[in-house]
Amino acid sequence: MGRFREKARRFYEKNQVLCSKLNRSQKFYYFGFVVGLISAFWYVTPFSDIFFSVFVAAGLLLTCGVASDILIVYKKVWETNIGKGLILVIYAVATNFAYALSSQIVNEIVTFESSKLIYSINLVAVMLVPLFILAFTYLVFVVILIFGQFYMLIIAHAEQFKTDVCLKHIIPEKIEDYAFRTFLVRFFVFPSILGFYWGISGHAMPAYKNFVENTTKAFIYNLEAKKFSRCKISKGQKVIEINDKEIVVVEKLSGDYSFSPQICSPTLKPNKKLTKGAEKNSAPVS
């Protein structure tokens, strides 16, 4: 028992020394693999039911490591003037694209002119944010995988580059501890995490599309369409005014919503006597 305690104490001390040399991303990768090994242990034991929970925990730790790497890249790019300008341009393009796409989605839902539905368009644009985050993450994944080849070249010849007259001021003094091993870990973790979440998004996308459509319909009916209008409507119907002559009638039917363009039939009729009197008064005197 005492020998086991001594080994456990030495393992703990070595682990503490190792962790002190690792950066944030490396710690996530390290603990992710440790938890992954523990999950493999539970898989071959009679308590295999615990395997899935521990395996998910390992996946979350590795995902945090990937997210940490992405944030580090983002921070490094943002610290440069060119990188900051590039990120702001990407934000502007993404915002413009989101509003254009949300306008198209609202137009397909209403099946008529939808430029008046400003609040609904803004809501859809907000709900599209997760899709843009996902797309941006995939883009960063690809960029890191491509430039990872150059990173591997640098860490493989780091000492030679540091003594080179032309490159010694370009190559940083210290990249990170255990750089080559960490690169190998990233080489396998990045595609695995990318493929895993790509598969999840493929199954979740139809459900999320239905969620966006149903939420937008409910928002239009409950908040943006008007209950009272100058145009004649039936009980339970609401109105979206397009212009002086055209409206879209919104109605809730069996848990769904229907949108039907109609010609506005005014509830107020002009007074014929007043109209005739005005015509007489305006008649030219011969």
Side-chain angles (χ1 to χ4, degrees):
M1 191 66 178
R3 185 178 299 178
F4 175 78
R5 289 181 179 179
E6 181 65 21
K7 289 183 178 180
R9 185 184 64 80
R10 290 180 181 178
F11 175 78
Y12 176 78
E13 292 177 352
K14 290 181 180 179
N15 186 72
Q16 290 295 99
V17 173
L18 175 63
C19 286
S20 66
K21 297 180 180 180
L22 302 179
N23 59 30
R24 182 180 61 195
S25 299
Q26 289 175 316
K27 288 177 182 178
F28 279 123
Y29 293 135
Y30 174 68
F31 289 113
F33 273 97
V34 170
V35 175
L37 291 175
I38 294 174
S39 69
F41 167 77
W42 286 112
Y43 183 74
V44 298
T45 63
F47 306 98
S48 57
D49 294 339
I50 306 176
F51 160 75
F52 182 75
S53 300
V54 182
F55 181 77
V56 170
L60 289 175
L61 287 170
L62 294 177
T63 301
C64 290
V66 172
S68 176
D69 278 335
I70 293 175
L71 291 175
I72 290 173
V73 172
Y74 180 89
K75 182 175 181 293
K76 293 293 183 182
V77 174
W78 181 259
E79 287 175 350
T80 64
N81 291 330
I82 296 177
K84 189 177 296 184
L86 180 62
I87 291 175
L88 292 176
V89 168
I90 292 174
Y91 282 160
V93 172
T95 302
N96 189 57
F97 188 81
Y99 275 106
L101 183 58
S102 61
S103 179
Q104 292 292 330
I105 292 174
V106 174
N107 180 260
E108 291 179 3
I109 291 174
V110 177
T111 64
F112 200 69
E113 172 61 37
S114 59
S115 59
K116 298 287 185 178
L117 301 174
I118 300 174
Y119 301 111
S120 297
I121 293 173
N122 290 337
L123 174 67
V124 175
V126 171
M127 288 192 291
L128 291 178
V129 168
L131 299 181
F132 282 92
I133 293 176
L134 192 63
F136 178 75
T137 303
Y138 286 147
L139 179 62
V140 174
F141 265 123
V142 174
V143 170
I144 291 178
L145 285 175
I146 293 174
F147 284 92
Q149 313 303 320
F150 299 97
Y151 178 82
M152 183 178 181
L153 178 65
I154 291 174
I155 61 176
H157 303 280
E159 295 302 324
Q160 299 178 16
F161 290 154
K162 289 176 184 178
T163 58
D164 188 272
V165 177
C166 296
L167 300 176
K168 65 181 182 180
H169 298 296
I170 300 176
I171 306 301
E173 289 294 327
K174 183 178 181 180
I175 300 173
E176 60 182 358
D177 289 307
Y178 311 106
F180 187 75
R181 299 177 193 176
T182 306
F183 174 80
L184 292 178
V185 171
R186 291 187 178 112
F187 185 79
F188 290 103
V189 170
F190 268 67
S192 301
I193 297 297
L194 176 62
F196 176 75
Y197 285 104
W198 181 269
I200 291 179
S201 63
H203 290 87
M205 196 64 67
Y208 190 75
K209 180 182 177 182
N210 293 333
F211 167 76
V212 172
E213 290 181 354
N214 294 333
T215 304
T216 305
K217 289 178 181 179
F219 182 87
I220 293 173
Y221 178 80
N222 292 296
L223 295 176
E224 192 140 17
K226 308 303 180 185
K227 184 177 181 180
F228 302 101
S229 172
R230 62 184 179 84
C231 305
K232 290 182 179 179
I233 55 175
S234 301
K235 186 178 180 180
Q237 293 180 336
K238 293 187 176 182
V239 171
I240 302 169
E241 293 190 4
I242 305 302
N243 50 47
D244 292 339
K245 297 181 179 180
E246 297 172 327
I247 61 173
V248 175
V249 176
V250 189
E251 191 172 4
K252 189 174 183 180
L253 300 171
S254 301
D256 199 4
Y257 301 88
S258 70
F259 300 86
S260 55
Q262 297 181 12
I263 299 296
C264 176
S265 178
T267 56
L268 298 177
K269 299 295 184 181
N271 192 312
K272 295 182 178 180
K273 293 181 179 180
L274 293 176
T275 303
K276 291 180 179 179
E279 290 178 351
K280 290 179 179 180
N281 293 332
S282 61
V285 180
S286 56

